[in-house]
C-alpha cells in the first residue's frame, strides 16, 4: 500500500491569524430580534393596550396618581418581558450552530472534528460520504469523490471531483453534499466570500415550525380573548345601567378584560420548549426542532441501531478462523505472536479496508496488523490502490484492487458478510453450510463476523463487477464490540414506561440475538432483510407489530419498518447515522442522528442529535420530554385557575352592590406574580419516579382537554369561594373599604400560592403536592410574599393601591385563609383526576 507523509495542516497560531483576518466561517444571517423589536411586540399586546386605556381614563377623571402607577407597571412589564425574551433567545442561540456542518480538519499534524464555523482559509479538510462541505475549497486528492451541487446549480446529477494529475485543481463549494467517495481538500474561501455567500444563499436557521401545542394554545387564547372583549362590553354597560358612570364603567370593563386575557400562554410555551431543549442538551441530546420536544413523551417505539448506540463502537479483533483452526483473542489482550496461519487473513482484511480508515472495524484490523505484520512481507507499501468496489444492498461486500509494481497482475482483496463472500467465491453448498455454521458459532458469542477473500487479475482491464473476479476464500474474522454497561437498565426503564425498544442492525442475525439478550431486548424472533423482502404488505405489518430484532436490514427496509409502525398507530423514534438512513429519520416522528459517527445528511434529516451516540441519553430525553409536557399541563391548569378568582372579584361586587375590589393596578401587580409562576416555577419542577412508570400519552391528546379545562375552572371557583368568603366577612365586620380590599387581596395572593402547589400534583396526592419545590420556585414565592408585604404594610405604597394598613393578626388571618384553600383544592383535583382517568 502506498504510504505518504501525513499532511500537517495549519498550526493553531495560523488558524487564529486567519480567523482574525477573515472572521468566522458564517454567512450573513437574518438580523436577530433586538430589544427594540421586543418592546414593539409588547406594545402591540392587548394587555399593554388595556393598561394604556386604563391610564387614559384615570387622566380623564383627574386621578393622576393612578395613571402614573399604571405607567410604572407598564415599564416593569416591558422590562420583565424583555429580560425573559433575551433569556429565551440565548437558550435558542445555543442550538443554532446545529445548522452549521461539522468538518474533519488536519491541524498541527492531527485530525480533529470542529464545527463548520471554525474552518479557516487554507485549512486541510477530509471529506467523506455524507458530509456537507463547510467552505469553498480545491481538491488535492480523492477516491471516487462525487458531490451533489444542486444547492447552487439546481442540477440533481452528482458531479465527479477526480483530480487528473497536474491539471487545474477542481473546486468544491460550501453547502454542497458529498454523495460518494472521499477526498482531501484545501479551503480557499470562507463565510460570505464563498460562492454560496456571493449569491446570497443561506444555510438557514433552525425552524421549529407551528407545532400542535402552539396551534392548540393559540386557539384557546383567541377564544378567551373574544370572551374577554364581550364581557368587557357587557360589564361596562351593566355598570352604567346600575351606577350611571360611563368612565367608571369603562374602567371596570377594562379590569375584567385584563383579568381574562391569557397573555401568558405564548410566553409559557416558548419558555418551556426553549429551556426544555437546554435541559435535554445537558443530557447529551441536541434539539434541532423544538416541536420534537412535545412529541418525545408520546414515544411508544424506539428503533435503535446496535453498533455505537447499544454498544461502545470500539471494535477489537476477538477471533480469527482459517480452515479448521480458530484463534481466540480474549478481552483485547495483546498476543505475543500471531501464528503464520492467520497472517494472510489479516493481510487481506487490511487490503480490503481504507488506507486511512475511520470505520472502527477497519481500525481494529490496522491496529492488529501494525503490531504483528509490520516486519513481515504481508504489508505492501509499494502497492497502488487502483479501483474500489463499494458495498451495496444487493451484495454486502466490498473489494479493493491493487496494482502490483513490476508485475502484469493486480491483487484484489474483499471483505464482507460471510454469505456475500461465499457467493463471491462460488463455494459449493456443503462448504457454505460449514462456513455458515462457523460464522453462527462466532455470532452466538455476540461477535460481528466478516469473511475475507482474495483474487488475482491479469492486465489493466478490470471488470465492472466484483462477481467477475475469481475469488478464493481465506477465512473469518470475529470482532467484539462490548455492550454499554448502562444499556440493560435503560431498556428496563423503557419497558416500564411502555416504550418498546426495537433493534435494527446490518449484522448477522445470531450476533443481533446475542446482543439483544445482553441488552434485555426480546430476541425470541429475529427477522432478516431477505425474510422481510419475501413478505406481502399484510404479513409485513403483522411481523413488524411483534418483532423487536432485525438483522441484515437495508436502509430501504428501515424506512419500511418505520412506516409500518406508524401505520399501526405507534409514535416512532428512530436513530441513524448514514446517508441512506436519512429517509427513515425524516419519516419517523422523532429522528435521532448520531453526533459522533453520524453524517451531516443524517443530522439535517433528524430532530435530535446525540452528542455521545449513547442509548441512555435517548431514554433520558424521553423522560425529560414527559416532564416538560407534564409541567406544561400543570402550568396551564394553574394559569386558567388563577384567573377565575380575579374574574369573580371583578364581577361579583358589581352584581351584589358591594364596593369594587380590583382595579387595573391590582391586575397589573397580579400579572407580575402569575407570569413567573407559570413560566419559571412550573418549568423548574422536578419529575417524580412515577413519570417513567406511566404509559405514553395517547397520540393527539390535547394539552388542555375539556375535562382538564373543567378541572382548572373548578379549582378557580373553589379559590374564588374562599376569597369571596373573606370579603363577605370583612364587610360584615364593618371593615373600611380600603381595609376590606387589603384583606381580600392578601387572601387572593395566598390562594394563588395554594393553587401552585395543587397544580403541581398530577393525581391529587398530598405528598406530591407538598414536596419541596425547586430553589428558583422558592425564591419566586418568597419574592411574591415580600412584595405583597411591602404594598400592604408600607403606607406610601399601600396608598397607591388604595390599601389600608391592617393589624398583623388580620393580615395573617387573610393569608392563612388563602393558604387553607389548599385543602378543598386538593380534594377537588383528586376527584377531577379520577373522573378524567
Amino acid at each position: 500500500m502506498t504510504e505518504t507523509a501525513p499532511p500537517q495542516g495549519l498550526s493553531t497560531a495560523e488558524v487564529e491569524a486567519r480567523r482574525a483576518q477573515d472572521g468566522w466561517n458564517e454567512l450573513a444571517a437574518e438580523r436577530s430580534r433586538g430589544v427594540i423589536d421586543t418592546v414593539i411586540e409588547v406594545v402591540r399586546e392587548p394587555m399593554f393596550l388595556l393598561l394604556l386605556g386604563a391610564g387614559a381614563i384615570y387622566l380623564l377623571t383627574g386621578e393622576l396618581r393612578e395613571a402614573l402607577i399604571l405607567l410604572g407597571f407598564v415599564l416593569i412589564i416591558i422590562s420583565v418581558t424583555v429580560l425573559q425574551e433575551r433569556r429565551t433567545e440565548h437558550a435558542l442561540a445555543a442550538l443554532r450552530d446545529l445548522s452549521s456542518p461539522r468538518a474533519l480538519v488536519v491541524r498541527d499534524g492531527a485530525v480533529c472534528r470542529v464545527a463548520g464555523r471554525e474552518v479557516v482559509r487554507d485549512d486541510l479538510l477530509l471529506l467523506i460520504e455524507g458530509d456537507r462541505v463547510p467552505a469553498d475549497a480545491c481538491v488535492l486528492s480523492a477516491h471516487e469523490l462525487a458531490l451533489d451541487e444542486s444547492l447552487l446549480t439546481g442540477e440533481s446529477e452528482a458531479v465527479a471531483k477526480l483530480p487528473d494529475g497536474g491539471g487545474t485543481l477542481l473546486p468544491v463549494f460550501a453547502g454542497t453534499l458529498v454523495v460518494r467517495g472521499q477526498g482531501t481538500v484545501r479551503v480557499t474561501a470562507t463565510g460570505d466570500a464563498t460562492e454560496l455567500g456571493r449569491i446570497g444563499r443561506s444555510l438557514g436557521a433552525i425552524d421549529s415550525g407551528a407545532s400542535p401545542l402552539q396551534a392548540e394554545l393559540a386557539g384557546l387564547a383567541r377564544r378567551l380573548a373574544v370572551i374577554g372583549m364581550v364581557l368587557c362590553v357587557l360589564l361596562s354597560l351593566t355598570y352604567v345601567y346600575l351606577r350611571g358612570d360611563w368612565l367608571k364603567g369603562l374602567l371596570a370593563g377594562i379590569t375584567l378584560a385584563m383579568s381574562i386575557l391569557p397573555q401568558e400562554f405564548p410566553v409559557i410555551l416558548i419558555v418551556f420548549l426553549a429551556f426544555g431543549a437546554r435541559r435535554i442538551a445537558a443530557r447529551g441530546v441536541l434539539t434541532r426542532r423544538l416541536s420534537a420536544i412535545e412529541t418525545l413523551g408520546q414515544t411508544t417505539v424506539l428503533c435503535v441501531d446496535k453498533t455505537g448506540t447499544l454498544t461502545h463502537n470500539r471494535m477489537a479483533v476477538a477471533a480469527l478462523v482459517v480452515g479448521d483452526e480458530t484463534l481466540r483473542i480474549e478481552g483485547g489482550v495483546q498476543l505475543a505472536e500471531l501464528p503464520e496461519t492467520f497472517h494472510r487473513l489479516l493481510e487481506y482484511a487490511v487490503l480490503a479496508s481504507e488506507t486511512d480508515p475511520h470505520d472502527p472495524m477497519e481500525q481494529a484490523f490496522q491496529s492488529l496488523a501494525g503490531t504483528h505484520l509490520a516486519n513481515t512481507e504481508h504489508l505492501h507499501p509499494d502497492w497502488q490502490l487502483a479501483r474500489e468496489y463499494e458495498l451495496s444492498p444487493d451484495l454486502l461486500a466490498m473489494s479493493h484492487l491493487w496494482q502490483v509494481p513490476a508485475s502484469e497482475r493486480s491483487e484484489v482483496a474483499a471483505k464482507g458478510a460471510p454469505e456475500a463472500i461465499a457467493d463471491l467465491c462460488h463455494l459449493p453448498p456443503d462448504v457454505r453450510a460449514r462456513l455458515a455454521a462457523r460464522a453462527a458459532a462466532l455470532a452466538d458469542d455476540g461477535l460481528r463476523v466478516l469473511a475475507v477473500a482474495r483474487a488475482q487479475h491479469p492486465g489493466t482491464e478490470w471488470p465492472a463487477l466484483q462477481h467477475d473476479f475469481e475469488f478464493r476464500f481465506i477465512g473469518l474474522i470475529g470482532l467484539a464490540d462490548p455492550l454499554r454497561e448502562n444499556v440493560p437498565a435503560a431498556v428496563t426503564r423503557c419497558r416500564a414506561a411502555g416504550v418498546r425498544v426495537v433493534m435494527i442492525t446490518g449484522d448477522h442475525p445470531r450476533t443481533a440475538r446475542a446482543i439483544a439478550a445482553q441488552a434485555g431486548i426480546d430476541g425470541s424472533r429475529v427477522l432478516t432483510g431477505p425474510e422481510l423482502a419475501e413478505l406481502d404488505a399484510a404479513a409485513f405489518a403483522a411481523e413488524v407489530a411483534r418483532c423487536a430484532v432485525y438483522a441484515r436490514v437495508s436502509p430501504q427496509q428501515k424506512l419500511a419498518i418505520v412506516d409500518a409502525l406508524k401505520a399501526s398507530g405507534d409514535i416512532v423514534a428512530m436513530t441513524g447515522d448514514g446517508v441512506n438512513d436519512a429517509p427513515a429519520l425524516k419519516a419517523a416522528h422523532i429522528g435521532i442522528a448520531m453526533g459522533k459517527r453520524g453524517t451531516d445528511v443524517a443530522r439535517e434529516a433528524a430532530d435530535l442529535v446525540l452528542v455521545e451516540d449513547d442509548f441512555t441519553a435517548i431514554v433520558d430525553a424521553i423522560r425529560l420530554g414527559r416532564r416538560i409536557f407534564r409541567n406544561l399541563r400543570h402550568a396551564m391548569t394553574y394559569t386558567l385557575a388563577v384567573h377565575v378568582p380575579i374574574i369573580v372579584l371583578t364581577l361579583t361586587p358589581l352584581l351584589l352592590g358591594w364596593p369594587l375590589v380590583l382595579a387595573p393596578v391590582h391586575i397589573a401587580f397580579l400579572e407580575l406574580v402569575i407570569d413567573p409562576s407559570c413560566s419559571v416555577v412550573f418549568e423548574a419542577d422536578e419529575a417524580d419516579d412515577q413519570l417513567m412508570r406511566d404509559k405514553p400519552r395517547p397520540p393527539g391528546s390535547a394539552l388542555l382537554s375539556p375535562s382538564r379545562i373543567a378541572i382548572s375552572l373548578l379549582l378557580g371557583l373553589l379559590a374564588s369561594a374562599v376569597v369571596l368568603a373573606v370579603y363577605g366577612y370583612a364587610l360584615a365586620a364593618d371593615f373600611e373599604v380600603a381595609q376590606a380590599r387589603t384583606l381580600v387581596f392578601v387572601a387572593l395572593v395566598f390562594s394563588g400560592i395554594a393553587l401552585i402547589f395543587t397544580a403541581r400534583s398530577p393525581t391529587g396526592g398530598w405528598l406530591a403536592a407538598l414536596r419541596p419545590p425547586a430553589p428558583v420556585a422558592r425564591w419566586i414565592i418568597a419574592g411574591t410574599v415580600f412584595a405583597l408585604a411591602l404594598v400592604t404594610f408600607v403606607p406610601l405604597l399601600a396608598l397607591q393601591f388604595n390599601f389600608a394598613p391592617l393589624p398583623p393578626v388580620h393580615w395573617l388571618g387573610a393569608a392563612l385563609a388563602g393558604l387553607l384553600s389548599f385543602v378543598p383544592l386538593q380534594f377537588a383535583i383528586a376527584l377531577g383526576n379520577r373522573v378524567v382517568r
Side-chain angles (χ1 to χ4, degrees), residues 638-725:
Y638 164 81
T639 302
L640 286 179
V642 80
H643 279 81
V644 174
I646 302 173
I647 296 169
V648 169
L649 280 177
T650 305
L651 284 172
T652 304
L654 176 63
L655 298 178
L656 296 182
W658 294 355
L660 298 185
V661 179
L662 299 180
V665 65
H666 302 118
I667 306 296
F669 179 90
L670 292 171
E671 288 301 326
L672 292 177
V673 174
I674 294 171
D675 276 350
S677 298
C678 296
S679 58
V680 178
V681 171
F682 286 98
E683 193 280 329
D685 205 11
E686 292 294 337
D688 52 30
D689 294 336
Q690 184 62 34
L691 199 62
M692 288 298 280
R693 291 197 289 266
D694 292 334
K695 300 302 179 187
R697 71 180 190 275
S701 59
L703 177 68
L704 287 176
S705 61
S707 56
R708 288 284 171 188
I709 293 176
I711 290 176
S712 294
L713 296 179
L714 175 61
L715 296 177
L717 289 173
L718 284 173
S720 303
V722 171
V723 176
L724 282 178

Side-chain angles (χ1 to χ4, degrees), residues 555-574:
Q556 293 81 1
Q557 289 172 326
K558 283 187 180 182
L559 175 60
I561 292 170
V562 169
D563 286 339
L565 289 169
K566 289 172 62 181
S568 67
D570 282 306
I571 301 298
V572 184
M574 171 84 191

Side-chain angles (χ1 to χ4, degrees), residues 344-415:
R344 177 155 289 175
L345 173 61
L346 186 57
E347 169 192 355
Y348 277 82
V350 173
L351 289 170
S353 304
E354 298 295 338
T355 55
D356 184 19
H358 299 287
D359 183 275
M361 290 188 302
E362 296 183 344
Q363 289 174 343
F365 299 153
Q366 289 228 353
S367 175
L368 192 61
T371 303
H372 296 287
L373 301 185
N375 298 319
T376 71
E377 73 278 5
H378 293 284
L379 294 182
H380 308 281
D382 55 340
W383 288 13
Q384 296 284 340
L385 180 62
R387 176 73 184 268
E388 296 185 55
Y389 295 87
E390 298 296 329
L391 194 79
S392 70
D394 298 326
L395 183 65
L396 298 177
M398 61 182 294
S399 300
H400 284 177
L401 185 145
W402 297 88
Q403 285 185 319
V404 180
S407 173
E408 295 297 325
R409 66 180 174 84
S410 300
E411 287 283 338
V412 186
K415 74 176 190 315

Side-chain angles (χ1 to χ4, degrees), residues 240-256:
V240 172
Y241 175 77
L242 293 176
R243 305 194 182 186
D245 190 328
W246 278 98
L247 289 177
K248 293 288 187 182
L250 188 55
L251 198 60
I254 288 175
T255 304
L256 179 62

Side-chain angles (χ1 to χ4, degrees), residues 301-304 502 504 532 540 544 550 553-575 581-591:
V301 177
L302 178 55
C303 298
V304 296
V502 173
I504 305 175
L532 288 173
F540 187 94
V544 167
Y550 300 86
V553 172
S554 68
Q556 293 81 1
Q557 289 172 326
K558 283 187 180 182
L559 175 60
I561 292 170
V562 169
D563 286 339
L565 289 169
K566 289 172 62 181
S568 67
D570 282 306
I571 301 298
V572 184
M574 171 84 191
T575 68
D581 290 333
L585 291 174
K586 198 73 174 177
H589 294 98
I590 305 170

Side-chain angles (χ1 to χ4, degrees), residues 467-492:
H467 265 295
D468 295 334
F469 293 109
E470 295 183 5
F471 280 105
R472 287 175 290 166
F473 187 82
I474 300 178
L476 298 172
I477 300 181
L479 297 113
D481 184 11
L483 191 75
R484 292 180 185 268
E485 294 76 9
N486 48 16
V487 164
V491 171
T492 301

